[in-house]
């Protein structure tokens, strides 16, 4: 074997080793970025009060329809397929209204928007806190929803994930406006 052949083989082995190191780095970056599956984010973007009425002269019972834009943000590289769920409007943990979110699918790296309406009635609640809030003109409400489903990557990998929503806001009964909407 001549000196030229030996160098040529060493050079070839160096190229193969460099290629293997490069491929390992690409696979590692891919695994750490693309394959990291996150839970989708479920939020209210905007909300308005419609069809507001009180059922008696002292206004201790209020009926209203809340119109809201609900968003499901999927930051994954695969689509999120979720089951039917229920969004609940609460006052101090007592349900005052609910809306069924039908099962569906949010595409990869997309935000899906829904327009929903929820009938809310304070007649379902009770207690002095609720009456005091109604008399003060500011009704403090919250909402909860949980979307259970799976993120599908490349039609091979399926990972269970759930998106949860917890929002708090005030309804100004004088102006019939939603104020201080905060979701986490």
């Amino acid at each position: 074997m001549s000196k030229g052949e030996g160098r040529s083989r060493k050079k070839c082995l160096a190229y193969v080793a460099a290629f293997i190191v490069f491929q390992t780095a690409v696979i590692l970056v891919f695994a750490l970025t693309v394959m990291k599956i996150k839970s989708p984010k479920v939020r209210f973007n905007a909300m308005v009060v419609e069809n507001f009425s009180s059922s008696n002269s002292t206004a201790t019972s209020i009926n209203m329809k809340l119109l809201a834009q609900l968003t499901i943000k999927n930051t994954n590289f695969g689509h999120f397929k979720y089951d039917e769920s229920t969004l609940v409007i609460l006052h101090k943990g007592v349900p005052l209204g609910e809306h069924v979110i039908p099962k569906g699918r949010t595409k990869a790296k997309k935000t899906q928007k829904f327009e929903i309406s929820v009938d809310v009635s304070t007649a379902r609640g009770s207690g002095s806190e609720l009456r005091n809030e109604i008399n003060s003109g500011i009704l403090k409400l919250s909402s909860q929803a949980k979307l259970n489903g799976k993120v599908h990557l490349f039609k091979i990998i399926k990972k269970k994930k759930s998106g949860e929503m917890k929002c708090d806001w005030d309804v100004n009964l004088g102006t019939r406006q939603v104020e201080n909407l905060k979701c986490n």
Side-chain angles (χ1 to χ4, degrees), residues 47 49 52-54 59-66 89-97 118-143 167-181:
M47 188 182 308
V49 176
F52 185 92
S53 66
S54 57
T60 55
S61 180
I62 293 172
N63 297 311
M64 67 183 117
K65 182 177 284 215
L66 291 174
I89 306 294
L90 305 155
H91 177 268
K92 307 284 185 197
V94 178
L96 302 181
V118 184
D119 291 318
V120 176
S121 175
T122 60
R124 297 179 188 174
S126 63
S128 61
E129 279 187 68
L130 180 60
R131 282 192 300 278
N132 290 341
E133 283 185 25
I134 291 171
N135 291 333
S136 77
I138 302 290
L139 182 60
K140 295 183 180 300
L141 297 175
S142 63
S143 63
C167 296
D168 296 308
W169 69 91
D170 301 332
V171 176
N172 185 320
L173 301 176
T175 62
R176 298 179 181 164
Q177 298 289 317
V178 174
E179 300 171 345
N180 306 318
L181 176 61

Side-chain angles (χ1 to χ4, degrees), residues 29-83:
V29 166
F30 182 75
L32 292 175
T33 58
V34 175
M35 303 304 267
K36 189 174 183 179
I37 299 174
K38 299 176 186 170
S39 292
K41 293 174 176 57
V42 183
R43 303 282 182 266
F44 276 140
N45 275 354
M47 188 182 308
V48 294
V49 176
E50 194 177 80
N51 299 339
F52 185 92
S53 66
S54 57
S55 61
N56 59 30
S57 61
T58 59
T60 55
S61 180
I62 293 172
N63 297 311
M64 67 183 117
K65 182 177 284 215
L66 291 174
L67 300 177
Q69 184 181 68
L70 180 73
T71 60
I72 303 170
K73 184 177 181 180
N74 181 12
T75 59
N76 296 299
F77 282 93
H79 68 271
F80 175 61
K81 197 172 184 179
Y82 52 90
D83 301 326

Side-chain angles (χ1 to χ4, degrees), residues 7 23 54 83-84 110 143-144 146 161 164 166:
R7 271 192 215 153
Q23 287 295 339
S54 57
D83 301 326
E84 183 178 282
K110 298 286 182 192
S143 63
Q144 291 182 344
K146 184 174 184 178
K161 286 290 177 180
E164 291 189 53
K166 291 182 182 176

